[in-house]
Amino acid sequence: IIAVAALAAGIVLVMVAILSYLSPDATPVLGPSPRATVAASAPLPEANPASSGPGIVNAASPAWIDRTAAATSIPTVALKAYAGVTLSVAAQNPKCGLSWDTLAGIGWVESRHGMIHGTTLGADGTLTPPLYGVTLDGVGFAHIPDSDGGAIDGDTKGDRAVGPMQFLPQSWRNWHTDANGDGVESPQNIYDATMAAAHYLCRAAGTLGTHDGWQAGVLAYNSSHQYLNDVMDAANRYAADAR
């Protein structure tokens, strides 16, 4: 999702997916039939035996991070978030079957790993300036009434998706977390946002390690077959480059 219009369309579809998941009787809005099957499940990142401090920031081996960042061109901070979250989920919820390349694929499609439209990914994982989607006020886009008084998305006219993983305020309130251990839960921080996305995917999919589970998880995140294909392409590219 590079152009503003495309990003806005993706945001709308994310909301549709969220509503469909929370309301099982709702019918998802899907595009043309997908050509995708499933993304490759990359091996777990190498763990850092000397990891210390709160959160997941240093969970992955520095050597693995350096090697994989060079091979994939994923920014180091973003890769540390994807790898750290994957290792955490593997330890706490192994049946989920989450792989780092799926998180990276979603991060690429949603925000170019937090660097879309000139945003900068800081060393602590926080975006500068904060990343917001368009206001979903019904003018050219879906009407999603303001649900947070602008506290999360900075807008009191309607809801907007926020941060590197593009959470709507109501979904962030459901999945908020502090993954980097800094005492702040922020959807504008790639560690926090990636962990929240992982929890959402695991809940929606049951297990991402199967064909049907992977598709269910990604389509729950954004109910679009084009989105499914884009995430799959990016995830497979990263998995192949990291071999």
Side-chain angles (χ1 to χ4, degrees), residues 72 80 163 191 194:
T72 61
K80 289 172 71 174
Y191 292 104
T194 300

Side-chain angles (χ1 to χ4, degrees), residues 93-204:
N93 184 14
K95 72 175 183 178
C96 174
L98 178 66
S99 60
W100 67 267
D101 56 305
T102 290
L103 291 174
I106 291 173
W108 167 256
V109 174
E110 292 291 352
S111 70
R112 298 302 186 258
H113 308 305
M115 301 179 70
I116 198 170
H117 302 319
T119 51
T120 299
L121 185 60
D124 67 347
T126 299
L127 303 191
T128 305
L131 180 62
Y132 299 105
V134 298
T135 301
L136 300 175
D137 57 5
V139 180
F141 304 100
H143 183 209
I144 309 299
D146 174 60
S147 66
D148 67 329
I152 296 173
D153 63 5
D155 196 320
T156 59
K157 295 180 180 179
D159 274 352
R160 300 192 289 178
V162 300
M165 297 308 240
Q166 288 291 278
F167 274 93
L168 287 165
Q170 52 266 59
S171 57
W172 177 251
R173 285 197 298 269
N174 286 336
W175 301 99
H176 61 93
T177 187
D178 173 20
N180 63 348
D182 65 355
V184 178
E185 297 176 342
S186 173
Q188 299 288 353
N189 182 280
I190 199 165
Y191 292 104
D192 297 354
T194 300
M195 184 67 82
H199 290 165
Y200 181 87
L201 290 165
C202 292
R203 173 69 179 275

